[in-house]
Amino acid sequence: MRRKRVYLNGVPVGSAATWHEVAALLAKLPQRSVAPREAQKIGSEGPDGFYVKTEG
């Protein structure tokens, strides 16, 4: 799997290759701890990135 950019509410916050890595990355951000299944549920994956939206 190749690494892709991770976007949180439209802002790039890092990179990951899997949803587990996305959740681990988000857990390092203040007030953003998200389980892998929840990250995948509230996000989407495209060819160039993982997109997670937690607001609105």
Side-chain angles (χ1 to χ4, degrees):
M1 290 184 204
R2 72 180 186 92
R3 296 189 75 69
K4 302 176 186 179
R5 195 173 295 262
V6 177
Y7 296 90
L8 178 61
N9 299 323
V11 178
V13 293
S15 65
T18 66
W19 280 105
H20 285 282
E21 290 181 13
V22 170
L25 174 66
L26 296 179
K28 293 179 183 178
L29 300 175
Q31 311 264 325
R32 297 290 184 199
S33 183
V34 177
R37 189 174 299 271
E38 183 65 20
Q40 194 170 8
K41 187 187 260 187
I42 63 174
S44 63
E45 181 178 359
D48 297 318
F50 293 95
Y51 306 90
V52 180
K53 187 173 182 185
T54 60
E55 57 187 33

